[in-house]
Amino acid sequence: MSKKALVVEGGAMRGIFAAGVLDSFLQEEYNPFQFTIGASAGASNLLGYLAKQPKRSYQIITDLGTSKNFYNPARFVKGGHLTDVKWLSETSLQQYPLQLDELLSNIPLYAATTDINTGVANYFKVTKDNLLNVMEATTALPIAYRETPCFSGSCFTDGAVADSIPVKEAYRRGARDITVILSHPLSYTMPKSNSHWLMKRLLSDNPVVADTLKTRANRYNQALDFIRFPPNDAKVRVIAPPQDFPVKRLSRQRDVLESGYQMGINAGAEHLANLRGNKRYALEECPACYALQ
């Protein structure tokens, strides 16, 4: 039997859009999926969705994500983290405790990480025992986070390095009806990096990661091609921010984040209305209703 899967892209603070979409799903008790996969902030967003805790991700992004304890350029200049993802993960669990029983009894959550020794994506099923390690690893952005999480026999960095949009992995695991929440408008394509020399220098201790970053745009755009032109036996539904989505990777202004969250709420509601036939939107009216037959 073919499966339904939910895939959520990362994108740091741009994840506020997915937080809104997932909260709209929770409001309508919409969860027809057999499993979920997220990369980086996408995996973090899925925690609140699967634990059935609306606004948890919103609170983490707007309250903790804007804190100097998380994002601190001055600390980075002095040799510390630019983005302290371990602090964010641990503090999130303290201030906004997860309903672990609900999370662990729900459908599986797989979080993408990047193995620093191979540059290949590794997808961990989140469990009670590995939760902290996996969440630190999937969000451990190279250079910005100076530690390298090590567990389960290897060491890892941000999952988005190897697989920003794990839609092909969802297909490989048997999903033939895949819903993807993006953090960029549908028109976006990732430009190729012109700073490989700088990455090689800054990541001299992790040359495989530097090489993987060099080819990241190719993999990202290949995932978009898969979404736009899926195999004949698959359907891909896309929920993407509108063209005027104002949130950037490191946006911290509360009003901007609030706007991005509301766009996610609206996009999720429009997507569900479209699926249920309550209202039929054209692509020009509703990017979130984009679905390939």
Side-chain angles (χ1 to χ4, degrees):
M1 186 179 78
S2 64
K3 301 175 182 178
K4 291 184 178 182
L6 174 62
V7 175
V8 185
E9 183 184 0
M13 304 301 271
R14 298 182 72 92
I16 195 74
F17 176 79
V21 174
L22 293 173
D23 278 355
S24 72
F25 283 8
L26 284 174
Q27 185 175 358
E28 296 295 325
E29 298 183 351
Y30 179 74
N31 184 357
F33 312 108
Q34 276 73 56
F35 65 91
T36 64
I37 308 181
S40 195
S44 300
N45 270 322
L46 282 167
L47 290 178
Y49 173 64
L50 296 177
K52 298 183 180 179
Q53 291 176 257
K55 295 210 85 169
R56 182 179 187 271
S57 295
Y58 167 86
Q59 290 170 317
I60 290 170
I61 294 170
T62 58
D63 293 344
L64 303 183
T66 57
S67 166
K68 286 187 177 180
N69 290 314
F70 172 61
Y71 175 70
N72 192 326
R75 180 180 60 202
F76 183 66
V77 171
K78 296 176 182 178
H81 303 303
L82 178 63
T83 54
D84 191 341
V85 297
K86 186 174 184 178
W87 174 88
L88 183 65
S89 183
E90 291 178 346
T91 306
S92 297
L93 291 175
Q94 292 167 6
Q95 294 193 19
Y96 308 104
L98 271 171
Q99 296 175 179
L100 273 176
D101 290 344
E102 191 70 57
L103 171 68
L104 299 175
S105 64
N106 210 322
I107 58 175
L109 163 58
Y110 297 95
T113 64
T114 302
D115 191 308
I116 68 166
N117 297 306
T118 64
V120 174
N122 192 323
Y123 308 89
F124 284 96
K125 181 180 178 181
V126 173
T127 67
K128 181 179 179 180
D129 293 332
N130 71 13
L131 175 64
L132 276 173
N133 283 334
V134 171
M135 286 301 116
E136 179 186 8
T138 191
T139 55
L141 193 66
I143 302 172
Y145 186 65
R146 296 188 186 274
E147 292 180 22
T148 304
C150 296
F151 61 97
S152 193
S154 193
C155 298
F156 306 93
T157 191
D158 194 306
V161 172
D163 193 1
S164 297
I165 314 171
V167 62
K168 290 184 179 180
E169 180 62 17
Y171 181 84
R172 191 188 71 80
R173 291 176 181 266
R176 294 298 180 268
D177 189 334
I178 307 170
T179 299
V180 181
I181 304 176
L182 298 176
S183 60
H184 288 279
L186 279 171
S187 60
Y188 177 78
T189 56
M190 183 175 286
K192 292 184 178 180
S193 172
N194 294 319
S195 57
H196 181 57
W197 64 272
L198 180 59
M199 292 298 101
K200 292 284 280 188
R201 180 177 177 181
L202 293 174
L203 293 167
S204 57
D205 293 338
N206 291 309
V208 173
V209 175
D211 288 339
T212 306
L213 281 169
K214 181 182 180 181
T215 56
R216 182 182 173 222
N218 291 339
R219 287 187 301 281
Y220 188 97
N221 294 331
Q222 286 168 8
L224 291 178
D225 286 341
F226 184 96
I227 288 168
R228 292 165 181 148
F229 308 103
N232 291 333
D233 63 343
K235 175 181 288 187
V236 178
R237 312 173 194 272
V238 184
I239 307 176
Q243 285 296 131
D244 59 347
F245 185 60
V247 185
K248 308 301 180 186
R249 174 172 289 274
L250 295 175
S251 293
R252 299 172 70 207
Q253 302 94 330
R254 187 62 177 257
D255 60 332
V256 172
L257 294 173
E258 187 69 40
S259 174
Y261 175 74
Q262 193 58 52
M263 287 180 175
I265 289 283
N266 294 340
E270 288 171 352
H271 181 76
L272 294 182
N274 196 58
L275 287 179
R276 292 167 177 168
N278 297 337
K279 183 172 181 180
R280 305 305 296 184
Y281 292 90
L283 177 57
E284 294 75 16
E285 298 175 301
C286 175
C289 301
Y290 181 72
L292 290 164
Q293 302 301 320

